[in-house]
Structures are given as C-alpha cells and as structure tokens.
Amino acid sequence: MSHPSLQAWHLPVPPLVQQTAQGPLIRLWLKGDALPHGVVLRCEPDNEEWQVSMAPQETVAGWQAYTAWLPLNPASPQQRYCFKLLWADAQLWFGPEGLSPLPVERLRQFALAIPSPYPTWVADQLFYQVYVDRFAPGDGPHLVQDEEYRHPTKGTPVRRLAWDAPLSAQDASCHFYGGDLDGLTAKLDYLQQLGVTALYLNPIFRSPSVHKYDTQDYFAVDSHLGGNGALIRLRQATRARGMRLILDGVFNHTGDTCAWFDRHGQAPDGAAHHADSPYRDWYHFVDGQAQCWKGNPVLVKLDYASHGVVETLYAGRHSVVRHWLREPYAIDGWRLDVAHMLGEGGTARGNLHHLAGIYRAARQENPQAYLLGEHFGDAREWLQQGVEDGAMNYAGFALPVRAFLAGVDVAYQPIRLDAAQCAAWLDHYRAGLSHPQQLCLFNQLDSHDTSRFLTLLGGDIARMELALCWLYGWIGVPCLFYGTEIGLTGDNDPFNRPPFPWQTPESWQAALWDLCRQLGQWRRQSLALRRGGCAVLYAAGESLVFVRQFGEEAWLFALQRSGEAQIPLAGRPGLSGHWQPMWGSGELQSTKEGWQLKLSGTGASLWRLSAGE
C-alpha cells in the first residue's frame, strides 16, 4: 500500500523530544489525504519489542501531532525507536531514512543516548588540525639542523628547509621546516579570531621522521618540537583561553627505532636482535621477521596478546594513555590512529576488546575524555560497540561530499553522484547512531592523509565556499585542516603538508578566511548548529537542502552544485516564521504549502529562524 501524499516529520531533539519526569515525550507529525487509523511508537525497553500507542494531539496547518512516552531500557543508554503507521489493511514504517513499507532495522532507527555516555563538551567545539612542523616556525637551537642526523632506516640525512622552500616527494619524511609547539602557542590569537576552540595535533612524540607516526618514545615530546616543556606551555595557554587539546595516539605500531624493538642496535635488549628480550612478545615474529603495518619496515606492529603491551599502552597505572591525560598535560582526549587495526598476533584479533580497554582507561583518568577513532572505511561497528565516542568521519561525510563536489572517491577514482544519491549516502550512514553520538563525529573536508579539498575541486572557490558551509552546517563537530581557511592547495602526501604562508598574506584566499570566521561565529552563537537535529528536506539533481533545528531555532542550508533550480519545499511544524537570509544569493519565499526556493549558480545559501522572528 502506498500513500504518496503522506508526509512525516520527527527529529530526536526538542521540541520533538521533550524530557519529562515520566521520560522522553516523543512527538511525531503526519500530514496527508488518508492518515493512518493508528500510530505506534516501536521501541525495545528490555531488548524486546514494545509497541506503544501514540495519542493524537493538536493539528497545525494540516499536520496532525501524535505523542507517547518512550519506555527506557535501563540496561543501556542507547534508546532506539521508530514509528509504525497502521491502516485497516496495510502499514508503513517511519525512521531516520523516511517512510518504508518494511520494518526499520534495529540499527537504522532513531536513537537517543540517556544518559549520554559521550563527552558533553565536544559538540560545542570548532577543531583545528595542526601538523606541527608546518604550522608556525619555531626559534632556537632545539630545532632540527640541516644534516643533523641520518634517518636510521632510510639512511638519508635529515634536511632543514627554509619556510618558503618547495615540497618534494623524495625523502619527504626527512624534510623539516622548523615548526614547533611554542610557534603554535604564539598563533593562538589567530586561531581564536577564526573561532577555533579546540586543537588536534598530529603526533608529537619522539621520532626520527617529520610525520612522527614512527614513535620512538611515547613518554617524551620530541625535543625538536620543544620537548615536554613546550607541551606544558601550550596546554597552559589553551586552558587559559578555554580551548581544548587532543593528541594523536599511534598505538597500533611503534617505530623501528623504539627501544622496545631497536632494529638498529642502539639499545641493550631490543626485540629485533634478542630472542630473550623482555620485549620480544611485544611484537609478532614470523620466521624471525616482525610483522609491520602494511609491510612498512619502519612501522612495527605491536602485539596486544602481550601483557606488557597492554599494561604499558593502556591498562597500567602509569600507561601511555593515562600519562598524558594527567597533570601537568591534562589533554582532553586521544585521536586513535588506524584504530580498527590494532590487535593480537600481528592482526586485528581482539581489536574491540583492546579498544574498550583504552576507552575505559581514558575515562578513568578523565570522565569527559574524547576518544576519536581514525577509520577511512565504515566506522559504525566501532561506534555502535561503544569503544569510541566519534570517528574521523570520512565514510559518513568527507567521502560523500568529495564525491558530489569533486567527482572522485576514496581512491581518487571517478564517481558521479546526483544530490539524491549523496543525501541517501549521508542519511544511511548516520541512521542508527544516536543523536549525541552523531554530534561527536569528526567532520573534515581534508586532512594530512588526503589531497587538499581545494585541489580536488580544481581551484573552484565557489565550490569551496559551498563545501565550507556544508562542513560547518552538517551534524557533527567540524575540523579545519590547517590552512584550509586560507585556500592552501596540494595533492596527496607530502604535497598536502606545506608550511603555512604567514610571510605572504597576499597569497591567502581572503574570501575563504572571512567565510570561515563568519561561520565560526554563527556556530558559536547557535545551539541549533552545535546540537540540533539534522534532516534533508530536498535532494535532486544539483540541489541539496537540509535543516538543523533545536527548540525554536533552525538553520536552512541550500546547496547548489551548478545551474539553476526552482524548488518547492513543504512546510514543517516548528519551522514556520520569518527566515532571515544569512549568506548566499538564494531566494526563499513563503507559499501556502511551505516555501519556494530559487537557486542560481554554484554556491550555498543560508537562512536562520529563531524564536520570535
């Protein structure tokens, strides 16, 4: 049975979810020619299906409201629910992906988290990712000197290049430009002007390479970045400004120069050369060869079957995970490099078990610590298992946006999506993740592991502005990779990691910086942008329109990839009133049924609705 005229509206936020003494009061709105005879709230308070009848309430502009209290599952903070619509001889279901003739799968339903197990501060942040050697130049004898040492594995002398020297692919991991942590601290004013409230740093622990994913000592900040004292100074400065700080935890592998492994014979008892080494079982050997990450001999995979690895990395009282969460560093969380790959026996065996251990250890030190997993693929298994608060949201944001705007996939191979396909990707991915967890997803356009987004766009500034509006508007916490706000370009590693051009501000894309500053200001002022529900209202051809709503405030984002569009938008309860234009050239006019939207050319248009307007 189909009901082509039927419309349904629900978001898992106020005013459609109200917290009361009896529990969450759920409100569903329906509109159509033949409304159902009965409406049921389908939930699982004891992991068993309950169907709670919803009582009809008021009618507003042809929309009929239905309400019911959601019975809570005391065994889990994850409270999943959907809606079942009944006629005399048929039924439909309604969940985050819309109306369906089939029951909504358990992991595709609306979801609340009561009480929320996630750090409450994350949703309010604007993150900025810093590759420390390339962000702000340091000063002093601690900086890497030209040919100071040879990279132990590559045999190549390290190079100290001038800040404006061009990047090169040859021996890129041995090229240093001289950025350090004190240089970053000196730029906090700049970051606050941009609206940044939180920092994510690429690895800073002792390592012979510039990227520092080949950790040599987990308990020492690299001296070339200023050492432990520089991190303390940065932390003191960020805390004085109310800024958050998370570090990169590379716990899947060590560098081959780590004393535990010691490929180059610099330590007395490294596992590489001593079968009786106390660290021998910290690595997995096959025919005398240690397993390495993706075959890279510099990155030697840790074996979590070893008690010593578990105690040293996370479980012990003085473990790495715990150490940096304590004073005087007191970082706010960890980004877990290749989180899905760490495990036992040179494989990912026991991965979820050990990630849960890392999660527990961090939370014991700081109940509000943020655990962020790196996943280029689907992260939902880890998110739904509760072993991380959020994920670097490549699969749920960066890749669909890249596909729609740049026409390439994760492997930089061509892909063509229209707006409906892109919206389906975005909505399908986040369906079943609770609303508070969606707010913890880490959204970026680009990172140290991808080509710069402006490069993928072929330098198209209009599309870049559209993408930035999307980044700041979509559900999740936005993060800028350093220099994205001024239009830095570059292909994949190492060309995506240029020094920040402080000395040539005339090279900056001032329009992008101004837009980022403005978007950051709006986000800081808006509860709807930071914590609101998210719904796609229209997606077809070149046009995608979505709304963020919390309480009586809402923002409308209209994205036009190219061409022109005349879009009728059906009204929604709670979204009526005066929409104030905030950005872009789109035109929005009220109609009897809702709004008429006119879009022309590539770009984003934004409107804001607030109480009393």
Side-chain angles (χ1 to χ4, degrees), residues 21 33 45 49 52 73 104 185 286 292 301 333 335 379 384 415 427 455 459 500:
D33 296 333
E49 181 179 62
V52 180
N73 184 346
V104 182
T185 301
V286 177
C292 297
K301 192 169 171 63
R335 180 264 194 188
Q384 290 167 343
I415 181 174
D427 282 347
T455 296
F500 195 105

Side-chain angles (χ1 to χ4, degrees), residues 395-548:
F397 178 77
L399 296 181
V401 171
R402 177 195 297 187
F404 183 65
L405 292 180
V408 291
D409 67 6
V410 65
Y412 302 95
Q413 295 166 339
I415 181 174
R416 293 187 62 83
L417 294 182
D418 63 21
Q421 293 164 330
C422 182
W425 184 344
L426 289 161
D427 282 347
H428 183 74
Y429 188 85
R430 65 191 181 97
L433 297 178
S434 72
H435 176 74
Q437 189 163 46
Q438 290 184 48
L439 297 176
C440 288
L441 293 176
F442 201 78
N443 294 337
Q444 291 183 283
L445 296 173
D446 42 23
S447 76
H448 66 291
D449 281 328
T450 73
S451 294
R452 293 277 178 170
F453 201 74
L454 186 54
T455 296
L456 292 176
L457 295 177
D460 189 329
I461 296 297
R463 286 201 180 192
M464 190 66 194
E465 290 179 344
L466 185 161
L468 286 167
C469 290
W470 205 341
L471 171 67
Y472 279 76
W474 195 253
I475 191 167
V477 58
C479 177
L480 292 170
F481 185 36
Y482 80 96
T484 293
E485 75 279 9
I486 61 166
L488 279 193
T489 58
D491 288 323
N492 209 349
D493 177 20
F495 299 105
N496 56 356
R497 306 172 184 182
F500 195 105
W502 298 106
Q503 72 279 23
T504 56
E506 67 275 8
S507 69
W508 300 8
Q509 293 287 347
L512 296 183
W513 198 95
D514 290 341
L515 175 58
C516 288
R517 183 196 59 79
Q518 182 65 78
L519 289 168
Q521 179 179 333
W522 287 333
R523 192 173 194 279
R524 186 170 59 253
Q525 296 169 347
S526 169
L527 201 59
L529 291 180
R530 300 195 314 272
R531 295 177 176 267
C534 181
V536 174
L537 299 184
Y538 179 89
E542 302 292 294
S543 311
L544 192 153
V545 182
F546 67 91
V547 69
R548 297 293 304 278

Side-chain angles (χ1 to χ4, degrees), residues 113-362:
I114 303 175
S116 175
Y118 310 111
T120 56
W121 57 270
V122 172
D124 295 324
Q125 307 309 306
L126 169 59
F127 271 90
Y128 193 86
Q129 179 186 349
V130 178
Y131 193 83
V132 178
D133 181 70
R134 308 293 166 80
F135 180 60
D139 183 36
H142 65 279
L143 300 175
V144 172
Q145 303 304 309
D146 198 39
E147 299 190 3
E148 177 182 339
Y149 62 90
R150 286 182 173 269
H151 189 285
T153 304
K154 298 180 182 299
T156 303
V158 297
R159 298 296 312 278
R160 167 71 181 284
L161 303 177
W163 196 255
D164 59 354
L167 296 160
S168 171
Q170 185 175 1
D171 301 321
S173 64
C174 298
H175 291 173
F176 293 77
Y177 283 79
D180 70 1
L181 291 169
D182 285 322
L184 167 57
T185 301
K187 296 298 184 183
L188 293 181
D189 282 346
Y190 165 84
L191 294 176
Q192 286 199 300
Q193 290 170 13
L194 192 61
V196 170
T197 61
L199 301 178
Y200 151 46
L201 307 188
N202 283 110
I204 60 172
F205 302 128
R206 184 178 298 158
S207 152
S209 298
V210 68
H211 56 71
K212 307 209 172 300
Y213 283 94
D214 51 343
T215 311
Q216 186 172 354
D217 186 346
Y218 287 98
F219 292 98
V221 175
D222 198 291
S223 61
H224 293 119
L225 299 179
N228 290 10
L231 178 61
I232 292 172
R233 290 190 290 275
L234 173 64
R235 193 66 191 110
Q236 290 172 340
T238 53
R239 293 172 87 173
R241 296 163 181 261
M243 297 176 75
R244 302 285 182 160
L245 175 67
I246 67 171
L247 297 183
D248 213 326
V250 188
F251 303 145
N252 173 68
H253 49 265
T254 68
D256 66 349
T257 62
C258 179
W260 306 338
F261 188 74
D262 188 36
R263 187 187 300 281
H264 308 287
Q266 302 300 305
D269 53 5
H273 301 294
H274 301 277
D276 60 349
S277 167
Y279 309 110
R280 185 73 176 189
D281 72 340
W282 291 32
Y283 302 91
H284 185 71
F285 288 83
V286 177
D287 297 330
Q289 300 296 315
Q291 299 293 292
C292 297
W293 179 74
K294 300 181 78 170
N296 188 327
V298 177
L299 308 176
V300 193
K301 192 169 171 63
L302 286 162
D303 188 349
Y304 279 77
S306 165
H307 177 74
V309 169
V310 169
E311 286 293 300
T312 302
L313 267 297
Y314 70 82
R317 181 180 177 187
H318 301 292
S319 67
V320 175
V321 167
R322 297 174 186 271
H323 176 79
W324 299 100
L325 286 163
R326 294 174 179 159
E327 297 290 353
Y329 313 103
I331 66 171
D332 293 294
W334 289 101
R335 180 264 194 188
L336 302 178
D337 185 59
V338 291
H340 50 286
M341 298 185 75
L342 68 81
E344 302 172 3
T347 72
R349 186 173 70 246
N351 176 261
L352 289 171
H353 169 76
H354 294 292
L355 287 176
I358 292 171
Y359 192 92
R360 285 194 300 272

